Amino acid sequence: LAKTTQPISMDSYEGQEVNITCSHNNIATNDYITWYQQFPSQGPRFIIQGYKTKVTNEVASLFIPADRKSSTLSLPRVSLSDTAVYYCLVGPSGGSYIPTFGRGTSLIVHP
Amino acid sequence: KAGVTQTPRYLIKTRGQQVTLSCSPISGHRSVSWYQQTPGQGLQFLFEYFSETQRNKGNFPGRFSGRQFSNSRSEMNVSTLELGDSALYLCASSLVKASGAETQYFGPGTRLLVL
């Protein structure tokens, strides 16, 4: 079971790029890396998912180095509405797997 | 497609009572997982059902149980409620993509308050 480590909190300002790194030293060969965003009293929302190299969608980019022992979520030009908790989840698809979300990273975007 | 729906959204119970929460997954999703989220413990996995069978189980006491129906809808039950069961209970349905990656889609949650 791949344990993840993220910074507890981060601060940024509107318009800046934010990079949140997640460490997962014992990631397994069949593990994927998924990032979620959660606002207070709401369920987590899927942001992006990847296996290796770089993945980009309309809201974020995910950078995964060759050794896959870490990953970085990149949020371009953040706004106040990006203030939320961000979780990194590492795990395989299906089968016997206990998802472990950890405490996530609380991102606060300032005006 | 409609998202994951959970009912009720809010619930107040007293200690010793039992409660049943319901979750309707996204159409076509066969896996449903349940989570408990509290300020102290964070987001913790309760169990997962796939095709009406419990596939995975987290570290929670037997007072927490669940089931899944043939239409993939799921219920979770908590018996003999304790004050510490006050939490946001989240349901997530998932789909395995052609690539093999699995993505969970969460519902809005049920806020349970035990008095």
Side-chain angles (χ1 to χ4, degrees):
Chain A
L1 193 65
K3 181 182 175 182
T4 59
T5 303
Q6 304 174 231
I8 294 174
S9 62
M10 293 183 69
D11 287 88
S12 185
Y13 292 90
E14 282 190 293
Q16 290 189 333
E17 177 184 75
V18 171
N19 296 306
I20 306 174
T21 297
C22 178
S23 297
H24 29 80
N25 290 320
N26 59 337
I27 187 169
T29 303
N30 59 342
D31 283 345
Y32 284 82
I33 300 159
T34 311
W35 285 81
Y36 292 87
Q37 174 193 56
Q38 186 178 28
F39 299 112
S41 296
Q42 293 185 26
R45 182 177 73 99
F46 170 82
I47 302 175
I48 198 166
Q49 183 179 68
Y51 183 80
K52 60 181 180 180
T53 62
K54 176 184 175 182
V55 179
T56 298
N57 62 22
E58 62 276 10
V59 298
S61 294
L62 178 60
F63 299 91
I64 306 169
D67 66 6
R68 304 202 326 125
K69 292 184 183 301
S70 67
S71 59
T72 299
L73 173 71
S74 182
L75 304 172
R77 297 179 299 282
V78 293
S79 63
L80 297 178
S81 63
D82 292 317
T83 294
V85 177
Y86 292 82
Y87 294 97
C88 160
L89 182 66
V90 173
S93 62
S96 181
Y97 161 52
I98 306 298
T100 303
F101 274 80
R103 289 305 196 139
T105 298
S106 177
L107 171 66
I108 298 175
V109 180
H110 302 276
Chain B
K1 274 186 179 179
V4 177
T5 59
Q6 293 187 244
T7 57
R9 293 293 313 278
Y10 304 92
L11 204 51
I12 300 176
K13 291 286 187 178
T14 57
R15 279 182 299 174
Q17 287 187 311
Q18 74 164 13
V19 66
T20 299
L21 311 181
S22 181
C23 171
S24 292
I26 293 173
S27 177
H29 289 195
R30 294 167 62 190
S31 169
V32 173
S33 297
W34 288 89
Y35 294 83
Q36 180 196 66
Q37 187 170 35
T38 60
Q41 299 298 320
L43 192 57
Q44 293 187 289
F45 174 80
L46 280 158
F47 30 65
E48 180 206 6
Y49 285 86
F50 181 83
S51 293
E52 302 180 64
T53 301
Q54 188 180 87
R55 185 161 66 173
N56 295 301
K57 188 178 188 304
N59 188 27
F60 276 82
R63 299 185 297 107
F64 293 82
S65 63
R67 60 176 175 169
Q68 187 180 32
F69 302 95
S70 58
N71 62 357
S72 293
R73 190 178 69 86
S74 178
E75 290 181 346
M76 71 161 280
N77 183 278
V78 187
S79 62
T80 320
L81 284 166
E82 301 176 359
L83 296 179
D85 296 332
S86 294
L88 180 66
Y89 289 89
L90 293 160
C91 166
S93 71
S94 62
L95 179 70
V96 178
K97 303 174 186 174
S99 63
E102 184 171 4
T103 302
Q104 295 188 73
Y105 297 88
F106 286 81
T110 294
R111 173 72 65 184
L112 171 65
L113 176 62
V114 181
L115 301 176

